[in-house]
Amino acid sequence: MMTDCSGCASASGCSSAATPASTQTIQGSGAPAALPATAQLQRRRRWFQAVFFAVFLLAPALNLLRFDLTETQLWVLGFRWSLGIDAFLRGDATAVQTAWSIVWRGILPVLALVTAFLTVAYHFGRLYCGWLCPHFSLVETLNDLLHRATGKLSVWDKSPTPRPGRTADKRWWPVFLVACMVFGFVWAITLLTYLLPPTLVWGNLVHGTLTPNQARFLVVGTLVFTLEFTLARHLFCRYGCAVGLFQSLAWMANPKGMVVSFARERARECKTCEVMPPSRLRRLPTEGAHADLGAARQSAGARGSACDHACPMRLNPRNIKRMMFACVQCGQCLTACDTTQTAQGRTPTLEWKVGLDAVRETLRQRREEQR
């Protein structure tokens, strides 16, 4: 059964377009087929995250964006950005000229940025969080490291999150903790360079001549960010980030905003979405060096909930929109659904929908709630 993608937000790159052959080799050629659309989407998203993360770290050094406290000067895209108040104080500008300068160079740019940002959020949700935000990039990276160590995506999870072909290994614990500390320090010193000249901060650090205030900022900042990365990554994204909150509010106000739609008439298929194909089951040994290999064969059956296991925000992607308030539109649930369903010769049950299709999804959810 094929899914009609005519109204889907991802149109040409919808997960539904992937067929079972997309994960196999092209017959007769021996060459691997193209990656499924959702896998390509994730690769593209990772590139966006990497580029924006680099921009975040290098922006102060390149004067792309920083506020220099030593000069009380804002730098934007390599230029000094002034509201004209200094010219007024020197007598080089009238009050009317200064007021217009404040409106033109201060108020209007901020309003334009906020409007553009919320407009994108209104139509597509927390797209910035899932595709650009440096903090969320770290959330996903640290999630993976912690999962390798404990089988969980958060220290607060009560039960492990299964991932195909992976078992917990405590030797990853030091890697996870060191990564939290390193990223905590990088976060602290990067934020400091947004307030002080980067050459001054790094020069003082290298030569051991940090001022007491600089040293206190780095120590306290590193400690706070390390604890946040270790214990409260998801809590901050869901409840503590004002940028994410306002995106979610704008998205919830738009019934036509892009949503992850679930084909509920095929819900029965989700019970077996992670069943391992028979060909792979036969290749799993029943005995060997690891005592759990036999158990692996037995547990390789119907686990279901591949999309739940993939969501970095610990959400249930098949839920109704108001229960997906913190969704960052990363599309990992779509990729998981595409991968597991395609392996069994079925089309995905999850896809992005926008516009009238999203409205129909919302109305259908409301009817189900009223039953």
Side-chain angles (χ1 to χ4, degrees):
M1 179 174 62
M2 298 300 294
T3 303
D4 181 13
C5 296
S6 59
C8 181
S10 47
S12 62
C14 180
S15 61
S16 301
T19 63
S22 64
T23 57
Q24 302 172 358
T25 58
I26 300 176
Q27 294 182 357
S29 67
L35 288 173
T38 52
Q40 297 177 22
L41 180 77
Q42 290 303 316
R43 180 174 293 182
R44 192 178 306 122
R45 187 178 70 90
R46 287 297 190 181
W47 273 109
F48 275 107
Q49 287 181 316
V51 170
F52 198 81
F53 193 88
V55 171
F56 168 74
L57 296 180
L58 297 176
L62 300 177
N63 288 329
L64 296 179
L65 178 65
R66 69 182 182 91
F67 185 80
D68 193 335
L69 292 177
T70 62
E71 298 180 350
T72 317
Q73 176 64 58
L74 176 66
W75 289 82
V76 179
L77 300 178
F79 298 96
R80 293 176 179 268
W81 195 268
S82 174
L83 297 180
I85 297 177
D86 291 340
F88 174 74
L89 295 177
R90 293 194 305 267
D92 297 335
T94 64
V96 174
Q97 292 174 327
T98 303
W100 172 246
S101 178
I102 291 174
V103 172
W104 177 250
R105 299 175 65 86
I107 298 176
L108 290 181
V110 171
L111 287 178
L113 286 174
V114 171
T115 300
F117 186 78
L118 292 180
T119 298
V120 172
Y122 182 75
H123 291 287
F124 302 106
R126 295 176 64 168
L127 205 64
Y128 167 80
C129 295
W131 287 70
L132 297 177
C133 178
H135 182 273
F136 188 72
S137 301
L138 292 186
V139 168
E140 293 187 87
T141 301
L142 295 174
N143 278 359
D144 184 69
L145 293 177
L146 182 62
H147 189 271
R148 292 178 183 274
T150 66
K152 303 177 182 180
L153 299 182
S154 170
V155 295
W156 306 113
D157 287 353
K158 295 181 179 180
S159 58
T161 299
R163 288 284 172 84
R166 178 181 292 182
T167 56
D169 187 344
K170 293 182 179 180
R171 290 177 294 182
W172 282 93
W173 260 114
V175 179
F176 168 72
L177 295 176
V178 170
C180 289
M181 289 187 287
V182 170
F183 285 130
F185 173 76
V186 170
W187 224 247
I189 197 168
T190 299
L191 292 184
L192 186 59
T193 58
Y194 273 88
L195 302 175
L196 297 175
T199 53
L200 174 65
V201 174
W202 283 103
N204 290 349
L205 180 66
V206 171
H207 297 97
T209 57
L210 290 171
T211 65
N213 286 337
Q214 293 172 0
R216 279 192 289 268
F217 185 95
L218 290 180
V219 170
V220 174
T222 300
L223 177 61
V224 170
F225 287 122
T226 298
L227 291 175
E228 191 265 335
F229 290 148
T230 306
L231 304 174
R233 299 184 305 281
H234 307 95
L235 295 177
F236 176 80
C237 285
R238 296 182 71 170
Y239 307 112
C241 179
V243 176
L245 174 64
F246 283 108
Q247 288 181 92
S248 293
L249 291 175
W251 177 61
M252 294 296 290
N254 180 18
K256 296 183 179 181
M258 186 172 70
V259 296
V260 174
S261 174
F262 173 50
R264 281 168 172 76
E265 67 277 6
R266 298 171 54 196
R268 182 178 303 176
E269 297 177 7
C270 294
K271 297 180 180 180
T272 59
C273 71
E274 285 191 313
V275 169
M276 188 174 292
S279 59
R280 291 182 58 191
L281 271 174
R282 287 193 294 269
R283 290 198 296 267
L284 279 178
T286 56
E287 58 183 3
H290 299 284
D292 60 345
L293 285 177
R297 286 178 59 90
Q298 298 176 4
S299 65
R303 290 197 307 267
S305 304
C307 55
D308 298 348
H309 301 156
C311 180
M313 291 296 287
R314 323 306 298 122
L315 303 175
N316 182 340
R318 294 166 293 172
N319 221 327
I320 60 178
K321 181 175 180 178
R322 66 181 179 83
M323 300 300 293
M324 297 286 288
F325 183 81
C327 176
V328 295
Q329 308 290 13
C330 66
Q332 292 192 57
C333 57
L334 275 67
T335 302
C337 183
D338 191 356
T339 301
T340 55
Q341 297 285 22
T342 298
Q344 300 182 65
R346 303 190 297 237
T347 56
T349 58
L350 294 180
E351 63 178 339
W352 270 323
K353 287 190 176 180
V354 70
L356 292 179
D357 287 329
V359 174
R360 295 188 188 100
E361 177 74 6
T362 300
L363 293 176
R364 182 191 55 73
Q365 292 172 355
R366 289 178 180 176
R367 286 196 299 269
E368 290 185 357
E369 284 184 316
Q370 293 173 357
R371 291 178 182 175

